[in-house]
Amino acid sequence: MMGGTTKSQSLGLKLVVLILASLFLNVFFGYYYVRRTVGREKSDWSASAAEEAEEAGAVYCSGHGRAYLDGKVVDGEPVCECNTCYTGEDCSLLTPDCPADANSGDPLFLEPYWRRNAARSAVLVAGWHRMSYRSYGDSPISLELERYIRLLHDAVGNAVTDGRFIVFGIGSSQLLNAAVHSLSPDAVNVNSSSSPASVVATVPFYGLYKSQTEFFDSREYEWEGAAANWVNSSASSSSKFVEFVTSPNNPDGLLMKSALDGSSVIHDHAYYWPHYTAIPTPADEEVMTFTASKVSGHAGSRFGWALVKNKSVYQKMLQYLSMNTLSMSVDTQLRMLKIFKVILAELRNEGDIFKFGYKILNRRWTELNNIMSPSRRFSLQKLSPQYCSYFQKIRDPSPAYAWVKCEREEDADCEAVLKEAGIISRAGTAFDAESRYTRLSLIKTNDDFDQLLLKIEALVSKELLSSI
Amino acid sequence: MMGGTTKSQSLGLKLVVLILASLFLNVFFGYYYVRRTVGREKSDWSASAAEEAEEAGAVYCSGHGRAYLDGKVVDGEPVCECNTCYTGEDCSLLTPDCPADANSGDPLFLEPYWRRNAARSAVLVAGWHRMSYRSYGDSPISLELERYIRLLHDAVGNAVTDGRFIVFGIGSSQLLNAAVHSLSPDAVNVNSSSSPASVVATVPFYGLYKSQTEFFDSREYEWEGAAANWVNSSASSSSKFVEFVTSPNNPDGLLMKSALDGSSVIHDHAYYWPHYTAIPTPADEEVMTFTASKVSGHAGSRFGWALVKNKSVYQKMLQYLSMNTLSMSVDTQLRMLKIFKVILAELRNEGDIFKFGYKILNRRWTELNNIMSPSRRFSLQKLSPQYCSYFQKIRDPSPAYAWVKCEREEDADCEAVLKEAGIISRAGTAFDAESRYTRLSLIKTNDDFDQLLLKIEALVSKELLSSI
């Protein structure tokens, strides 16, 4: 009897505990459920946008591509967009005999950085976000974004921002011509005594300076070619010169100075960031341009800025931008604010974008040099280790581009020589240099670089074998 | 005994049912909980972006403002940005004696539409979203977005898209000068026989045509003023003319045709949408420009497009855009795709944006007319009801702007007369018209319009009282 009672009592106790536990769990889960679903219906207008983006981000593309939210949709799912030379539904197939494309300065080496920082760098744009033309009140640009750009320059130490105005442009492309226009004399016409400004640059230079200046063909300026032609010329004292100085230089990565005394200089500092070059000292010039494309890698967003010392040049640039495109996309400014916030928060930490970028580019440069150094047919530009105030040590080179010279007399068209070997490069002539030179981009995807290395290796091996 | 057994059996049964039900609920809630939390930790990189946006969206600004995600932050919360004349932390304070600002064509009358459709129109941009310069492969623009723009024109019936190329620009502003450039003769210089194109428009016209053409001052074209000066002129047969035709016209809302035979025409159809005008028939011209600013109200995003018939003009425009800004922000294209999808899904439904916009603008126009019609001092442009193929009925006018004429001889400067009465308008001279005219914008916020109405009412009352 005792045993029976104890048994049934103990069973009853167990049952009670089970029921209580179950009820407790129901209360806990039920509260959670109600909070997630009922609350959601009232205010969670962001849910479907977030879900869509996650879905696109989760599409598997074998590490050789990615699906985007606004890509082509097949069977209700965005499809993979594959890296060069990869195909197939999941980008798993390597196309045989696919040429290595090292032409463009597409900064996709930074894409993995943003994949890693996906949670911190995403941004949700409301349908009603900043619809106005004058979205920032009396300011033509987002003051928060401007503040973060100043903080970034100050923290990196690559440019002086004190006493500088900031203008935003659609990439630095737009700012380059805006600066040429603003540094040229006003109202040049048949009746006025002022003549157009002469626009020049030191060879080899980024081709857009020339093509853009010629294309817009304003009465206020004229393309006059290589700066070297005007050094010590009598014209250089009588004419107004506008000079482009790219530092570090595109294509060869060298730090540059103005060639003409007394010219108005546009300092293009697109690559003056620690992933590409040592930063010896903060740049401190009158007009300096920068672009998100080369800092964060967001080329597709089209965001650039200029630091401008002179108020009247600044105002002329603002007028140019206003006449040209009125203002800068609020969507891009919103996204860039988030991007710069992440970069700043991680500076000198584990997730430093400059350390990340430097590591990749330095490795690529070293690998390319190792393969090409036995060659007598091809040579690369010489770059030396240099003290970098950001990394606070002497650092080895990590240029954005390799500037290849074909040394054999018969290889007068270096771009064609590489093309023959399955390598797409950008011909020296695009930089107003000899065709004996050509440029290889080192800042594209890992896939692009791996293919480039394979083709270069084959080309050099062939040379070495034939010279035995 | 029987009763006791039945009772305890029935109690036991109830207990079992209770336990089973409770356990079932445990399983259901538990599954839900695990899915929401465990799954989330692995992949939910969108959560913090969504949360931030919801937080900004939830800030209370009394219906006279809104807080934005990238606005100034005080005490960890983005602050309200108030409508004109409203101040205070929550925008609840009306500034006394604040002038009514009816100057700009800021399309904020559509903001409430996107507030209502918040859940469907939000978009989440990943940090790694489309970083490349060539984000759409061989196409310079998003093919999905292009597809939706064609669908929208086809569904609204306001433009023929068959056999048309589409180019995207940073607002239609950029496309206007791109079109002028592309329709002008190539390579005009001292040695060539071709002379610059003459750029003209019919008065009153949107001021940017003139200021932009003069500002960029290319050797290929010249601003030549009012088209009327060249009708029947001998020059019009020998010169190349590029004519701007705005239809419906800004400022007066009239449907317009080209004034010069044989000119190359840029048809600016910014306002050729059913909220502003009847759509008698689809526009079917060689070069037509449109802008998101006036369809969806997203002026701050800077998105415009042109439909172009001639392939070589199309290619020249692409070259212009490429030299000017390289390409169009991927962020803006992503957002616009979402916006156009919502508009399309709602066409002719309850949530039709054109019905929504028409209702507001028609009411504003009616109210303004009711107040101003007793006045002999001021008059408005005359607009008649017209058949609209989109609404499939005769519709009353709903123009974007009121084109006010000061009728008294002494009121030669109409803008100044209104300013005196606390109304900021855009002077007729900005449209190359007489200063006896001035433009009032009817497409801004409800607050702006309410204030305008109050000031106009006071002005007309004063006139009527003094004439008794």
Side-chain angles (χ1 to χ4, degrees):
Chain A
M1 270 298 268
M2 270 288 280
T5 310
T6 314
K7 234 186 197 168
S8 92
Q9 271 180 346
S10 135
L11 186 74
L13 200 68
K14 276 181 191 160
L15 260 177
V16 168
V17 168
L18 178 70
I19 292 173
L20 283 180
S22 174
L23 287 176
F24 172 78
L25 270 179
N26 277 331
V27 169
F28 172 76
F29 284 144
Y31 172 75
Y32 180 83
Y33 179 80
V34 167
R35 240 193 65 199
R36 302 296 308 189
T37 54
V38 179
R40 206 147 262 239
E41 267 160 50
K42 262 191 292 172
S43 79
D44 198 350
W45 52 268
S46 66
S48 113
E51 202 171 303
E52 267 178 7
E54 296 260 354
E55 269 170 31
V59 173
Y60 178 71
C61 306
S62 313
H64 301 296
R66 72 299 286 156
Y68 293 116
L69 190 48
D70 59 352
K72 225 178 116 179
V73 174
V74 172
D75 298 333
E77 209 175 60
V79 301
C80 286
E81 302 188 12
C82 305
N83 289 343
T84 329
C85 298
Y86 285 85
T87 56
E89 245 176 68
D90 60 356
C91 302
S92 60
L93 305 173
L94 184 60
T95 314
D97 303 322
C98 176
D101 189 343
N103 183 347
S104 92
D106 225 0
L108 288 171
F109 76 108
L110 291 172
E111 192 186 37
Y113 181 84
W114 297 108
R115 279 274 185 187
R116 275 188 208 178
N117 288 285
R120 309 169 63 189
S121 59
V123 70
L124 193 134
V125 192
W128 44 269
H129 179 73
R130 295 206 183 276
M131 294 176 63
S132 170
Y133 283 114
R134 297 185 57 253
S135 277
Y136 309 101
D138 291 334
S139 167
I141 59 177
S142 160
L143 291 174
E144 280 292 289
L145 181 51
E146 179 182 343
R147 195 163 70 82
Y148 273 90
I149 287 176
R150 287 182 191 270
L151 288 172
L152 183 63
H153 281 302
D154 295 350
V156 174
N158 68 334
V160 173
T161 60
D162 274 359
R164 255 67 175 195
F165 300 97
I166 297 195
V167 286
F168 291 171
I170 319 293
S172 57
S173 318
Q174 186 186 29
L175 293 170
L176 298 175
N177 192 249
V180 168
H181 201 282
S182 306
L183 294 169
S184 297
D186 287 337
V188 175
N189 61 48
V190 237
N191 307 317
S192 90
S193 58
S194 53
S195 53
S198 300
V199 186
V200 298
T202 294
V203 176
F205 57 77
Y206 176 42
L208 187 70
Y209 304 147
K210 178 183 177 180
S211 55
Q212 198 184 52
T213 305
E214 288 182 344
F215 184 85
F216 290 116
D217 201 22
S218 157
R219 292 177 177 85
E220 278 82 27
Y221 51 79
E222 229 151 10
W223 178 253
E224 291 290 359
N229 296 340
W230 303 93
V231 177
N232 301 325
S233 121
S234 63
S236 74
S237 56
S238 63
S239 287
K240 164 92 184 168
F241 277 83
V242 175
E243 183 184 355
F244 281 106
V245 174
T246 326
S247 184
N249 197 31
N250 172 2
D252 58 20
L254 299 172
L255 295 177
M256 303 288 288
K257 296 226 171 303
S258 160
L260 295 184
D261 284 347
S263 62
S264 294
V265 184
I266 300 162
H267 286 271
D268 181 344
H269 286 311
Y271 300 90
Y272 200 53
W273 296 100
H275 18 236
Y276 308 105
T277 180
I279 307 292
T281 170
D284 187 18
E285 295 113 357
E286 290 273 336
V287 178
M288 306 181 264
T289 63
F290 295 88
T291 168
S293 165
K294 297 302 182 289
V295 191
S296 69
H298 292 86
S301 291
R302 316 302 310 124
F303 181 74
W305 67 97
L307 304 179
V308 182
K309 205 169 191 173
N310 182 293
K311 191 171 182 182
S312 105
V313 173
Y314 162 71
Q315 284 167 332
K316 282 184 189 175
M317 287 183 74
L318 280 188
Q319 199 193 355
Y320 181 104
L321 299 173
S322 157
M323 287 290 161
N324 186 188
T325 52
L326 209 61
S327 59
M328 143 75 59
S329 163
V330 294
D331 316 318
T332 294
Q333 290 187 69
L334 172 64
R335 186 179 183 199
M336 281 303 135
L337 177 62
K338 198 67 178 278
I339 294 294
F340 286 128
K341 277 183 179 174
V342 176
I343 292 181
L344 256 162
E346 284 299 324
L347 279 195
R348 298 195 166 89
N349 287 345
E350 266 313 291
D352 187 321
I353 193 171
F354 299 116
K355 275 189 206 156
F356 178 94
Y358 171 74
K359 219 169 126 186
I360 294 176
L361 295 185
N362 173 255
R363 195 183 58 232
R364 289 184 182 180
W365 176 246
T366 310
E367 286 178 6
L368 188 68
N369 268 275
N370 289 346
I371 290 176
M372 291 183 81
S373 57
S375 168
R376 317 198 102 200
R377 189 178 180 191
F378 305 103
S379 65
L380 296 176
Q381 79 263 42
K382 297 276 165 285
L383 295 170
S384 323
Q386 206 171 346
Y387 181 79
C388 176
S389 60
Y390 179 74
F391 290 129
Q392 299 191 304
K393 63 178 178 195
I394 293 176
R395 70 195 276 293
D396 284 328
S398 57
Y401 306 106
W403 186 230
V404 180
K405 186 179 181 189
C406 282
E407 300 281 352
R408 286 186 192 160
E409 206 177 329
E410 66 269 32
D411 287 350
D413 186 345
C414 197
E415 188 253 356
V417 169
L418 292 193
K419 197 168 188 184
E420 182 74 29
I423 300 161
I424 302 170
S425 62
R426 187 169 292 183
T429 49
F431 305 86
D432 251 37
E434 283 177 63
S435 59
R436 187 165 290 290
Y437 289 89
T438 198
R439 189 192 80 171
L440 295 175
S441 172
L442 306 180
I443 59 178
K444 299 179 73 188
T445 64
N446 277 331
D447 284 342
D448 283 320
F449 184 72
D450 289 347
Q451 282 147 39
L452 173 65
L453 224 50
L454 280 177
K455 303 277 182 185
I456 293 271
E457 209 159 12
L459 186 62
V460 174
S461 301
K462 210 171 119 191
E463 176 200 341
L464 299 180
L465 281 173
S466 69
S467 66
I468 293 174
Chain B
M1 263 308 263
M2 271 289 281
T5 309
T6 314
K7 233 184 193 169
S8 91
Q9 270 181 347
S10 137
L11 187 74
L13 200 69
K14 276 181 190 159
L15 257 178
V16 168
V17 168
L18 178 70
I19 292 172
L20 283 180
S22 179
L23 288 175
F24 173 78
L25 272 178
N26 282 161
V27 170
F28 171 78
F29 283 143
Y31 172 74
Y32 182 83
Y33 179 80
V34 167
R35 242 193 63 197
R36 301 298 308 190
T37 54
V38 180
R40 206 146 261 240
E41 267 161 48
K42 262 191 292 173
S43 80
D44 199 349
W45 52 267
S46 66
S48 112
E51 203 172 302
E52 267 178 8
E54 296 259 357
E55 269 170 32
V59 173
Y60 178 71
C61 306
S62 314
H64 301 296
R66 72 299 287 155
Y68 293 116
L69 190 48
D70 58 352
K72 224 178 119 180
V73 174
V74 173
D75 299 333
E77 209 175 62
V79 301
C80 285
E81 302 187 12
C82 306
N83 289 342
T84 330
C85 299
Y86 285 86
T87 57
E89 244 176 69
D90 60 355
C91 302
S92 60
L93 305 173
L94 183 60
T95 315
D97 302 322
C98 176
D101 189 344
N103 183 346
S104 91
D106 225 0
L108 288 170
F109 75 109
L110 291 172
E111 193 187 36
Y113 181 85
W114 297 109
R115 280 270 183 188
R116 274 189 208 178
N117 287 284
R120 308 169 64 191
S121 58
V123 71
L124 192 134
V125 193
W128 44 268
H129 179 73
R130 296 206 183 277
M131 294 175 63
S132 171
Y133 283 114
R134 296 184 57 255
S135 276
Y136 309 100
D138 291 332
S139 168
I141 58 176
S142 160
L143 291 174
E144 281 292 288
L145 181 51
E146 180 182 343
R147 194 163 71 81
Y148 273 89
I149 287 176
R150 287 182 191 272
L151 287 172
L152 183 63
H153 281 302
D154 295 351
V156 173
N158 68 334
V160 173
T161 61
D162 275 359
R164 255 67 175 196
F165 300 97
I166 298 195
V167 287
F168 291 172
I170 319 294
S172 57
S173 319
Q174 186 185 30
L175 293 170
L176 299 175
N177 192 251
V180 167
H181 201 282
S182 306
L183 293 169
S184 297
D186 288 336
V188 175
N189 61 47
V190 236
N191 306 316
S192 89
S193 57
S194 53
S195 54
S198 301
V199 186
V200 298
T202 294
V203 175
F205 56 79
Y206 176 42
L208 187 69
Y209 303 147
K210 178 183 176 180
S211 55
Q212 197 183 53
T213 305
E214 288 182 343
F215 184 85
F216 290 116
D217 201 21
S218 158
R219 292 177 176 87
E220 278 80 28
Y221 52 78
E222 230 152 11
W223 178 254
E224 292 290 359
N229 296 340
W230 303 94
V231 177
N232 301 325
S233 122
S234 63
S236 75
S237 55
S238 64
S239 289
K240 164 90 183 169
F241 277 83
V242 174
E243 183 184 356
F244 280 106
V245 174
T246 324
S247 183
N249 196 32
N250 173 2
D252 58 20
L254 298 172
L255 295 177
M256 303 289 287
K257 295 225 172 304
S258 160
L260 294 184
D261 283 346
S263 62
S264 296
V265 184
I266 301 162
H267 286 270
D268 181 343
H269 286 311
Y271 301 89
Y272 199 52
W273 295 100
H275 17 236
Y276 308 105
T277 180
I279 307 291
T281 169
D284 186 18
E285 295 113 356
E286 291 272 336
V287 178
M288 305 181 265
T289 63
F290 296 88
T291 169
S293 164
K294 297 302 182 291
V295 191
S296 69
H298 291 87
S301 291
R302 314 304 308 126
F303 181 74
W305 66 98
L307 304 179
V308 182
K309 205 170 191 174
N310 181 292
K311 191 172 183 182
S312 104
V313 173
Y314 162 70
Q315 284 167 333
K316 282 184 190 174
M317 286 182 75
L318 280 187
Q319 199 194 353
Y320 181 104
L321 299 172
S322 156
M323 287 290 161
N324 186 189
T325 52
L326 210 61
S327 58
M328 144 74 58
S329 163
V330 294
D331 316 318
T332 295
Q333 291 187 68
L334 173 64
R335 185 178 184 200
M336 281 303 137
L337 177 63
K338 199 64 178 279
I339 294 294
F340 286 128
K341 276 183 181 174
V342 176
I343 293 181
L344 256 161
E346 285 299 325
L347 279 196
R348 297 196 166 88
N349 288 343
E350 267 313 290
D352 187 321
I353 193 172
F354 299 115
K355 274 190 206 155
F356 177 94
Y358 171 74
K359 220 170 124 186
I360 293 175
L361 296 185
N362 171 255
R363 195 184 58 233
R364 290 185 181 179
W365 176 246
T366 309
E367 287 178 6
L368 188 68
N369 267 274
N370 289 346
I371 290 175
M372 291 183 80
S373 58
S375 167
R376 319 196 102 201
R377 187 178 182 192
F378 305 103
S379 66
L380 297 177
Q381 79 264 42
K382 296 277 165 285
L383 295 169
S384 324
Q386 205 172 345
Y387 181 79
C388 176
S389 59
Y390 179 74
F391 290 130
Q392 300 191 303
K393 61 178 179 195
I394 293 176
R395 70 196 275 295
D396 284 329
S398 57
Y401 306 106
W403 186 230
V404 180
K405 187 179 179 188
C406 282
E407 300 280 353
R408 287 188 191 158
E409 205 178 327
E410 66 269 32
D411 289 348
D413 186 345
C414 197
E415 188 254 354
V417 170
L418 293 193
K419 197 168 186 184
E420 184 73 30
I423 299 163
I424 303 170
S425 61
R426 188 169 292 183
T429 48
F431 306 86
D432 252 37
E434 282 178 64
S435 58
R436 186 166 290 288
Y437 289 88
T438 197
R439 189 193 79 171
L440 296 175
S441 173
L442 306 180
I443 59 179
K444 299 179 73 187
T445 63
N446 277 331
D447 285 342
D448 283 319
F449 184 71
D450 289 348
Q451 281 147 39
L452 173 65
L453 225 49
L454 279 176
K455 303 278 182 184
I456 291 272
E457 210 160 8
L459 187 62
V460 174
S461 300
K462 210 170 120 192
E463 175 201 343
L464 299 180
L465 281 172
S466 68
S467 66
I468 293 173

